[in-house]
Amino acid sequence: LGSFKDIIANRDNFLILQQKEYIRYEDLPLETSDGGQVEVEFVSNVYQVNNHKVIQCNIRDITERIQTIKTLRESQRLIEGIINAIPVRVFWKDKNLAYLGCNMAFARDAGFADPKDLIGKDDFQMVWRAQADLYRSDDLQVIMSDCPKLLSEEPQTTSMGNTITLLTSKVPLHNSEGKVCGVIGSYMDITERKRGEDVRNRLAMAVEQANDTIVITDTDANILYTNPAFEKSTGYTRAEALGQNPHILKSGKQDAEFYRQMWGVLNGGEVWHGHFINRRKSGELYEEEATISPVRDAAGNTINYVAVKRDVTREVRIESQFRHLQKMEAFGQLASGVAHDFNNILAVISGSAQLLLMDEKFLSAEGMEYVKQVINAAERAATLTRQLLIFGRKQEMQSKPVALNDVIENLAKMLERVIREDIALECQYAARLPFIQGDPGMLEQVLLNLVVNARDAMPNGGQLVIATEGTSVTEACARRNPEARPGEFVCLTVSDTGAGITSEHMQRIFEPFFSTKESPDSEAGGYGLGLAFCREVMTTLGGDISVESTPGQGATFTLKLPC
């Protein structure tokens, strides 16, 4: 009763009781019989009892309730502390989209020092008023649908006037009855992450669209990534390459020492630069300039290798052709300087021999045969000088419309005498073949050269096929092959079933006087410039000559002449 006496002793409180005949107090400590304290609620009322005013006092122990309130307040402070401590912005609004509260990070974004300063305001009163309609549209969608809207990217204008990117989530806010009474949301500033993603995306796009081949491997050289240029260059799809070792591209053109040196550089943590001759999936060889770099982690340990490679097959071919042209130009200058004088000497030899033949009294029958051999040799030498003059461009070819089928047909009987009986000759003529512009005599020499080469490639006999056809070269094909040009062409192919041509010889077969024959026979001696002469004639006529061959499976020479 000590508290009651204290209350009665307080004159002010007693006056209130007299005036209002009612008074109520909470959180008053009351001593218990065991010396402890309890929190009580004290209520006093004044009543009339037998014409006397009496005071009725009710005392209720509210210790548990007070403790619950304290716990709730502590929990609230803890929650507020957590919400204010996290960098994620948190806010909640009522159904009218006025702010009911937010955390400190959100308040700072809005330009306020205290979250309480936002209560009652809406988005049109914030620094991001330019995005207010967007935000409110999302809020209403969440409230009306009673469904969350998660992880959507939105722009926001900051207090500094710049625009950042937010990753926002919003969920319905429910009251104690489970009805939607507003919206609660959160967002993170992902501007830097987006900027990093944009950089990575641009880098990935550049890598994917690069013309150079890019390959990433692990430290065991297993392929982890290839860009589309790899597929175009090698013929292997990305799916076929992943998990494989780049050894699938090996051509055998580089020896073990080449790879030992390469790995010595890479294992030393250095960047390797070099040149590969690799093999496509189709078996075709191609050449690459490559740079292989180690990729290190934060600790400096090599975790990957990245190779950037450029297909230089076309450039190497063009460079080789340029060197060949330089060599042929030098040869042509020499040839043109020698050919005229050589022709004059041959004219004397041939003329003298002809004079000897005119008077039989000077020569025996055996001597006459020797003189005829001299004349034949002089004629073959004269043919060679004409070829030399063509190389030196000192003699113009007679160009006129030519039916290629007629040239072959007129030469067919002679070709049968050139080849042996164990070689079967077959001529296949395309119908309605267009005319070409050329020199029939030179075309005959070209065909004769090819037939002699085919005969010599089949010492045990075989089959020789000469065929014609019309064809066209598209712009796309011409771009892929620097030696080709677009247009309509007549093709002449000479195919044999002989020994074929090795890759080493393939690189030299169009060089002047190059031969794989240990002792060329006299019958072929008149065609000493061989395939070099054939190429020169074709180039002069605006065409080209190419060869396909596999050792042991014969060879096919293809001549293309413009219609």
Side-chain angles (χ1 to χ4, degrees):
L1 298 177
S3 295
F4 173 70
K5 292 177 181 177
D6 291 338
I7 294 170
I8 299 301
N10 187 312
R11 182 173 178 79
D12 293 337
N13 289 339
F14 190 73
L15 290 175
I16 293 173
L17 181 59
Q18 281 186 319
Q19 294 170 3
K20 295 186 175 180
E21 297 186 344
Y22 172 83
I23 192 169
R24 179 177 179 274
Y25 299 96
E26 285 187 355
D27 301 341
L28 292 174
L30 184 67
E31 293 182 6
T32 61
S33 58
D34 57 4
Q37 281 190 344
V38 294
E39 298 288 340
V40 298
E41 176 187 66
F42 182 88
V43 179
S44 297
N45 290 285
V46 178
Y47 293 95
Q48 289 283 343
V49 179
N50 298 327
N51 296 321
H52 295 284
K53 285 186 176 180
V54 297
I55 299 173
Q56 175 185 321
C57 296
N58 297 321
I59 300 174
R60 180 184 303 164
D61 184 349
I62 60 170
T63 304
E64 185 176 348
R65 187 179 73 186
I66 294 298
Q67 186 59 42
T68 301
I69 292 173
K70 286 181 179 180
T71 302
L72 289 174
R73 286 176 180 170
E74 289 175 359
S75 297
Q76 183 177 359
R77 285 194 295 270
L78 178 61
I79 292 172
E80 289 178 354
I82 293 172
I83 291 176
N84 287 327
I86 61 176
V88 176
R89 283 66 166 172
V90 182
F91 62 91
W92 49 99
K93 304 176 184 178
D94 62 20
K95 293 186 70 171
N96 296 320
L97 306 183
Y99 283 98
L100 297 173
C102 67
N103 68 345
M104 186 61 71
F106 186 92
R108 283 195 294 266
D109 280 0
F112 293 93
D114 193 319
K116 295 178 182 177
D117 297 334
L118 274 80
I119 296 175
K121 293 182 172 59
D122 60 27
D123 288 308
F124 289 105
Q125 296 169 280
M126 302 298 167
V127 294
W128 52 74
R129 60 183 62 87
Q131 292 87 30
D133 286 327
L134 172 64
Y135 296 168
R136 291 167 67 85
S137 175
D138 290 344
D139 295 341
L140 289 173
Q141 179 183 340
V142 171
I143 291 172
M144 298 299 292
S145 66
D146 194 10
C147 293
K149 184 174 184 180
L150 305 176
L151 302 176
S152 58
E153 292 186 11
E154 296 176 333
Q156 185 182 87
T157 303
T158 69
S159 57
M160 302 298 292
N162 57 317
T163 301
I164 61 176
T165 302
L166 309 179
L167 186 64
T168 304
S169 294
K170 296 178 179 179
V171 297
L173 181 63
H174 298 92
N175 59 20
S176 59
E177 298 176 355
K179 295 181 179 179
V180 178
C181 62
V183 62
I184 182 169
S186 65
Y187 67 78
M188 293 186 296
D189 182 351
I190 60 169
T191 307
E192 289 303 319
R193 190 177 83 185
K194 283 290 292 182
R195 187 175 292 118
E197 288 177 356
D198 290 342
V199 171
R200 287 192 295 272
N201 289 338
R202 283 195 293 270
L203 177 60
M205 188 180 301
V207 169
E208 285 286 302
Q209 297 180 10
N211 286 327
D212 290 346
T213 295
I214 297 176
V215 180
I216 299 175
T217 70
D218 60 19
T219 52
D220 294 325
N222 298 310
I223 297 174
L224 303 178
Y225 168 83
T226 65
N227 68 339
F230 174 89
E231 300 183 6
K232 180 180 178 182
S233 181
T234 68
Y236 289 97
T237 66
R238 184 177 299 182
E240 291 173 328
L242 292 181
Q244 296 290 330
N245 190 290
H247 289 171
I248 59 175
L249 304 176
K250 269 190 173 183
S251 63
K253 297 296 183 180
Q254 288 96 20
D255 57 19
E257 181 60 26
F258 173 88
Y259 291 102
R260 275 197 297 270
Q261 291 179 358
M262 180 188 77
W263 280 109
V265 172
L266 293 174
N267 290 333
E270 301 295 327
V271 177
W272 181 84
H273 303 277
H275 186 95
F276 286 114
I277 300 177
N278 282 335
R279 190 180 301 277
R280 306 186 205 275
K281 183 181 179 181
S282 63
E284 177 189 3
L285 297 181
Y286 70 104
E287 302 192 38
E288 291 182 311
E289 292 291 341
T291 298
I292 305 178
S293 307
V295 179
R296 298 179 178 87
D297 60 15
N301 300 315
T302 299
I303 56 174
N304 293 106
Y305 294 104
V306 57
V308 180
K309 303 189 288 184
R310 185 167 62 91
D311 189 334
V312 294
T313 308
R314 184 173 183 272
E315 288 86 342
V316 170
R317 185 186 297 122
I318 292 174
E319 184 180 352
S320 175
Q321 290 170 355
F322 178 69
R323 288 197 300 267
H324 176 74
L325 288 175
Q326 287 181 314
K327 182 164 59 177
M328 296 307 294
E329 182 179 359
F331 177 79
Q333 291 174 352
L334 174 64
S336 61
V338 171
H340 285 294
D341 292 337
F342 191 43
N343 257 344
N344 291 335
I345 296 172
L346 289 174
V348 174
I349 294 173
S350 179
S352 299
Q354 292 287 351
L355 288 174
L356 285 173
L357 286 177
M358 291 173 63
D359 195 342
E360 296 181 357
K361 66 181 180 179
F362 289 107
L363 297 172
S364 63
E366 186 179 4
M368 296 283 284
E369 288 300 320
Y370 287 137
V371 171
K372 289 179 181 178
Q373 290 183 21
V374 170
I375 293 173
N376 289 336
E379 288 177 351
R380 288 198 298 271
T383 300
L384 180 59
T385 57
R386 285 196 297 273
Q387 295 178 359
L388 288 171
L389 287 172
I390 290 174
F391 266 99
R393 304 298 172 94
K394 300 299 182 182
Q395 177 175 315
E396 296 293 331
M397 285 188 286
Q398 299 175 1
S399 183
K400 63 180 182 180
V402 175
L404 188 58
N405 285 344
D406 293 345
V407 172
I408 300 171
E409 190 170 5
N410 293 336
L411 197 63
K413 289 185 178 180
M414 178 183 176
L415 295 178
E416 289 178 350
R417 292 195 298 271
V418 169
I419 62 176
R420 300 185 305 276
E421 293 181 356
D422 58 356
I423 296 176
L425 174 63
E426 180 182 353
C427 295
Q428 301 174 354
Y429 303 108
R432 296 186 295 278
L433 200 64
F435 279 84
I436 58 173
Q437 196 78 11
D439 184 326
M442 290 300 173
L443 290 172
E444 287 179 354
Q445 288 190 45
V446 168
L447 182 56
L448 191 56
N449 263 315
L450 296 176
V451 169
V452 168
N453 284 345
R455 177 202 67 191
D456 295 340
M458 296 184 288
N460 300 319
Q463 186 175 19
L464 176 63
V465 177
I466 301 173
T468 59
E469 65 173 343
T471 187
S472 60
V473 177
T474 64
E475 292 282 353
C477 291
R479 283 195 296 270
R480 289 195 297 269
N481 183 1
E483 297 180 358
R485 61 189 181 89
E488 298 296 322
F489 293 83
V490 168
C491 276
L492 167 65
T493 58
V494 178
S495 302
D496 64 69
T497 58
I501 306 170
T502 65
S503 57
E504 290 79 12
H505 292 156
M506 188 76 76
Q507 299 174 8
R508 299 190 59 197
I509 58 174
F510 292 108
E511 292 182 4
F513 300 106
F514 173 74
S515 176
T516 60
K517 307 168 189 174
E518 295 182 359
S519 55
D521 58 44
S522 60
E523 188 176 359
Y527 314 106
L529 287 176
L531 293 175
F533 169 75
C534 296
R535 169 173 274 187
E536 190 65 20
V537 170
M538 298 304 295
T539 301
T540 303
L541 296 178
D544 68 78
I545 181 172
S546 61
V547 59
E548 293 182 2
S549 178
T550 301
Q553 299 181 23
T556 297
F557 285 84
T558 302
L559 286 70
K560 286 182 182 177
L561 286 161
C563 298

